[in-house]
């Protein structure tokens, strides 16, 4: 089957920027107190639910995977861009990073205690999101947790360059938290918390903490 264009565009774009993306984003993540707090709460919930593995989907250079691991989560990364996976593996050789897509995860049904999608569902077309929530529901164990970080809004933007002026060519979707909550509910998940963050530079950011009922 031919791959959808959004996947090939996203892969090629992040392959191009992988090294400079990592250099720019890692220090920003160090300063992201609220984001780290949400990831900390997520890791504590996953541990309390039995400590099953956690997939960091769209993990990029792997700093969030490594942070979750430092908090005692059995975390591994799944990432579309082989360039990003190479950067992640070099930075964190002790951790597992798989090349793959969150639209068709390799994990067995009910295998995971948690899924994190940290600024990665923003590159999925809106009409693909319901199937991706179904996929998150499929791989989560009952009582498992899902954490989403995303840019808030209701529009599609075309990104043609980034992370030090490299050429990119992909869509970025700003997403309404209420719409994501509806999709989660529609997939049989429950929203436990919503964080709305004021804009740091350009757009507000949101974070949803979601659970699969036990
Ligand atoms: C903005 S970056 C975020 C990376 C990392 N989570 C972070 O917080 O820095 C988006 C990442 O999601 C990945 N991605 C986008 N769509 C994906 C998909 N369908 N499956 C797996 N990874 C995907 C991209 O390749 C890219 O590395």
């Amino acid at each position: 089957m031919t791959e959808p264009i959004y996947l090939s565009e996203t892969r090629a774009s992040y392959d191009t920027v992988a090294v400079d993306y990592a250099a720019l984003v890692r220090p920003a993540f160090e300063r992201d107190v609220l984001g780290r707090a949400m990831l900390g709460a997520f890791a504590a919930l996953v541990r309390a639910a039995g400590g099953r593995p956690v997939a960091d989907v769209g993990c990029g250079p792997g700093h969030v995977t490594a942070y979750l691991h430092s908090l005692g989560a059995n975390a591994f990364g799944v990432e579309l861009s082989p360039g990003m996976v190479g950067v992640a593996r070099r930075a964190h050789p002790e951790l597992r990073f798989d090349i793959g897509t969150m639209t068709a995860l390799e994990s067995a049904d009910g295998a995971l205690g948690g899924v994190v999608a940290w600024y990665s569902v923003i590159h999925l077309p809106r009409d693909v999101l319901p199937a991706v929530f179904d996929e998150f529901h499929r791989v989560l164990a009952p009582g498992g947790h899902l954490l989403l970080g995303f840019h808030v809004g209701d529009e599609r933007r075309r990104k043609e360059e980034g992370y030090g002026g490299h050429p990119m060519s992909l869509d970025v979707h700003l997403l309404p938290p209420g719409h994501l909550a509806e999709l989660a509910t529609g997939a049989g998940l429950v929203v436990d918390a919503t964080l709305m963050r004021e804009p740091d530079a350009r757009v507000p950011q949101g974070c949803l903490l979601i659970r699969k009922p036990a």
Side-chain angles (χ1 to χ4, degrees):
M1 203 175 76
T2 315
E3 180 176 83
I5 184 91
Y6 73 89
L7 288 179
S8 23
E9 284 186 339
T10 302
R11 181 187 299 108
S13 293
Y14 279 101
D15 274 349
T16 302
V17 303
V19 171
D20 284 348
Y21 179 94
L24 287 165
V25 168
R26 282 194 188 116
F29 181 65
E30 291 295 320
R31 296 189 298 271
D32 182 9
V33 174
L34 269 180
R36 292 161 81 89
M38 291 302 286
L39 288 158
F42 168 83
L45 288 165
V46 169
R47 279 201 316 272
R52 284 191 182 82
V54 172
D56 176 10
V57 300
C59 65
H63 53 289
V64 169
T65 322
Y67 184 61
L68 291 168
H69 181 76
S70 77
L71 298 175
N74 177 12
F76 66 98
V78 177
E79 168 57 50
L80 191 59
S81 152
M84 280 291 198
V85 168
V87 171
R89 287 178 180 159
R90 280 194 294 281
H92 309 286
E94 73 287 6
L95 300 182
R96 174 182 149 203
F97 296 98
D98 299 338
I99 297 172
T101 173
M102 73 178 96
T103 53
L105 292 166
E106 299 280 326
S107 297
D109 296 1
L112 302 182
V115 174
V116 173
W118 203 243
Y119 298 92
S120 53
V121 298
I122 58 171
H123 296 306
L124 301 174
R126 292 278 286 261
D127 63 357
V128 170
L129 285 173
V132 169
F133 275 91
D134 286 344
E135 186 64 350
F136 293 160
H137 181 277
R138 180 187 72 75
V139 296
L140 282 172
H145 298 274
L146 168 66
L147 187 69
L148 303 177
F150 52 95
H151 302 304
V152 174
D154 196 359
E155 66 176 287
R156 176 172 64 91
R157 293 183 180 174
R158 192 72 188 164
K159 190 169 178 64
E160 298 289 0
E161 62 99 27
Y163 308 108
H166 296 284
M168 303 179 84
S169 185
L170 80 170
D171 287 340
V172 180
H173 296 269
L174 278 53
L175 299 164
H179 177 61
L180 292 176
E182 279 170 18
L183 291 173
T185 307
L189 301 163
V190 176
V191 177
D192 282 328
T194 305
L195 175 70
M196 283 288 292
R197 306 171 63 172
E198 295 305 317
D200 56 350
R202 284 161 296 170
V203 291
Q205 297 169 43
C207 186
L208 282 178
L209 181 60
I210 294 166
R211 172 174 41 89
K212 180 170 173 174

